[in-house]
């Protein structure tokens, strides 16, 4: 909403306060020019704000793209989780087999030691 400035009323107030007609006219004109400059600056700032504000608004398409990306990430997380579980089971099997192998080796060494001592 533009700002209006009543130069005639302003001049009358200045004249009533003791300014001459010429002084009041110059003062009113300078004040009018300043008010118009401030209004132009306000309009420019407001239009720049609107321009940037609309650039930052998300559209329905933005939300749909985000939803698709999130679903894709969720699928990737589930895949990685299943892979971790599979790897955990593989490591566990390897550890158990190694322990059984070591136990068999230790038993055979002990058996050989006992057989050697019994001779």
């Amino acid at each position: 909403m533009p700002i209006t400035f009543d130069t005639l009323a302003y001049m009358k107030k200045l004249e009533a306060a003791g300014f001459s007609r010429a002084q009041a006219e110059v003062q009113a004109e300078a004040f009018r020019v300043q008010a118009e400059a401030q209004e132009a600056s306000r309009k420019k700032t407001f239009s720049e704000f609107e321009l940037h504000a609309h650039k930052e608004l998300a559209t329905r398409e933005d939300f749909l793209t985000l939803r698709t990306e999130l679903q894709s990430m969720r699928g990737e997380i589930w895949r990685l989780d299943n892979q971790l579980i599979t790897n955990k089971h593989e490591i566990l099997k390897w550890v158990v087999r190694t322990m059984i192998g070591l136990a068999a080796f230790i038993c055979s060494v002990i058996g050989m030691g006992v057989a050697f001592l019994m001779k």
Side-chain angles (χ1 to χ4, degrees), residues 93-118:
K93 284 193 267 184
W94 181 82
V95 167
V96 168
R97 287 179 189 152
T98 304
M99 288 174 64
I100 290 172
L102 283 173
F105 176 73
I106 290 171
C107 286
S108 66
V109 167
I110 290 173
M112 287 182 354
V114 168
F116 180 73
L117 289 175
M118 297 293 255

Side-chain angles (χ1 to χ4, degrees), residues 77-89:
I77 289 170
W78 285 339
R79 186 187 69 74
L80 290 172
D81 189 44
N82 288 335
Q83 188 176 358
L84 283 173
I85 290 170
T86 302
N87 289 344
K88 181 176 97 174
H89 289 270

